[in-house]
Amino acid sequence: MENILLFCTILTGLLFAPNKQEEPLSGVIERGLNVSRQQTLLLAKEMEAKENRLPKTYENGVLQTANYKSWISGFFPGVLWYLYEDTPTEELKKYAELYTLRVMPAKDMTSTHDLGFMLYCSFGNGYRLTGNKSYMDVMKVGAESLASRYNDKVGAIKSWNSNKKWQFPVIIDNMMNLEFLSFMALNTGNNRFKEIADKHAKTTLSNHFRSDNSCYHVVSYDTITGIPHAKQTHQGYADNSSWARGQAWALYGYTMMYRETNNKVYLEQARKVALFIKNHPNLPEDKVPYWDFDAPDIPKAYRDASAAAIMASAFLELSSLDKSEDRIEWLKLGEQQIRSLSSPLYLAEPNTNGGFILKHSVGNFNKKSEVDVPLTYADYYYVEALLRLKRMQNEK
Ligand code: GLY
């Protein structure tokens, strides 16, 4: 009898206990930034003597690094610049400068489309915050290298060099490099950069999207006709599936292109992608997507924190650009993603996770590469989103 009474008391307590107060958003932001600073400085010190290397991931207790040639090279210096922007200490600046310079040789690469990621996140943020002219000189060379991959017949920048499968592959990720070109057009007066960015966005809009507003990962164009000859995937579950990070790049890319051009067509596209994500039955309650919206083992499939971080940053920007009622939905989604990523499930305990900020991202599931690990680009977009949210809170 006593046991039954005790059971009933506990049950009543559980049912009627007031909900635990939700942490104020300002607290979430500051906590996220504090952890980010501690972790990033730890990693910056750890890597200081590893000449020319940049952090990539931390797998099975081992720090994995890359040199300037990797598409991820610019993210770590970018994180340092964002943190310096938030807390301008000499230590953060010293490391931001050190790691930015490690990316410099990328400016001459004409074999990749990733120069926006590599140079704009590092040198671009550095230039924005310090006005260092030598950073602009590096970016001028880099923008020419990127523009050299543009093909007038196709109306797009080639992502990867041709191979047996693809004549002129363009991946949705490539939308992200257009911010660099837009910035360089503004800063050099070279309108060609702007025209290339605009044409690439239009071509991608015409060919990458399906009728439900999800997108393919890879569209390859016939170089004689300029017409797509293949629509497939590289990192997604299947050609017709919706790879989560691909949808994130699309959301971010068209939101950013609307900001840069004021062209309403781009806003409409961003809204369509946003609605696809928001209404997808496989988007989990905490809004951190599975690595592919169509992964066959949902709900057991891995989550991709990097996709959530990119989406969060994009949703926050979309909420400030979209003047329709939906802006409230975009803000709610962005905030929810930031809250989830800032929970112990995703945010590292200080001094763990190899110095990376977020846990549980997926690089390339198909190649069993970087599955359920920290990734430097997840950290970059998480910190960017925290700063965006902080600015929005301060402007209220
Ligand atoms: N841009 C490569 C990726 O998103 O994995």
Side-chain angles (χ1 to χ4, degrees), residues 71 114 117 171 173 235 243 245 249 363 377:
W71 79 277
D114 283 321
F117 285 124
I171 61 174
D173 325 25
Q235 276 154 269
W243 175 50
R245 198 161 52 254
W249 294 140
Y377 42 99

Side-chain angles (χ1 to χ4, degrees), residues 36 39-40 43-44 47 53-59 63-67 70-83 99 103 117-118 121-122 125 245 249 304-307 309-310 353-363 370 372-385:
S36 300
Q39 290 293 87
T40 303
L43 191 49
M47 296 226 18
R53 306 301 294 178
L54 294 131
K56 192 162 69 153
T57 183
Y58 182 72
E59 229 168 340
L63 175 65
Q64 311 270 351
T65 65
N67 68 8
S70 168
W71 79 277
I72 60 95
S73 59
F75 292 116
F76 187 64
V79 171
L80 282 155
W81 283 121
Y82 275 145
L83 293 172
Y99 288 99
V103 187
F117 285 124
M118 295 148 89
C121 298
S122 53
N125 277 312
R245 198 161 52 254
W249 294 140
D304 181 11
S306 79
I310 298 157
N353 208 33
F356 289 82
I357 303 167
L358 294 180
K359 304 177 271 184
H360 304 306
S361 288
V362 174
E370 301 171 342
D372 199 26
V373 293
L375 289 168
T376 181
Y377 42 99
D379 292 358
Y380 178 85
Y381 290 102
Y382 172 67
V383 175
E384 180 180 270

Side-chain angles (χ1 to χ4, degrees), residues 148-214:
S148 75
R149 296 182 67 79
Y150 179 75
N151 178 312
D152 223 4
K153 182 76 196 171
V154 173
I157 298 163
K158 181 154 64 169
S159 293
W160 304 320
N161 290 343
S162 57
N163 57 34
K164 276 191 220 135
K165 256 168 56 176
W166 298 320
Q167 288 184 38
F168 190 103
V170 177
I171 61 174
I172 190 67
D173 325 25
N174 204 340
M175 284 297 301
M176 299 298 284
N177 295 307
L178 309 183
E179 189 167 8
F180 177 41
L181 289 180
S182 305
F183 176 80
M184 292 310 290
L186 207 67
N187 280 276
T188 62
N190 184 347
N191 268 334
R192 187 162 164 268
F193 295 144
K194 202 175 148 156
E195 284 156 20
I196 290 176
D198 197 44
K199 192 72 183 66
H200 183 99
K202 286 197 174 105
T203 303
T204 301
L205 199 153
S206 303
N207 298 309
H208 256 81
F209 291 90
R210 310 182 181 108
S211 55
D212 66 357
N213 299 315
S214 66

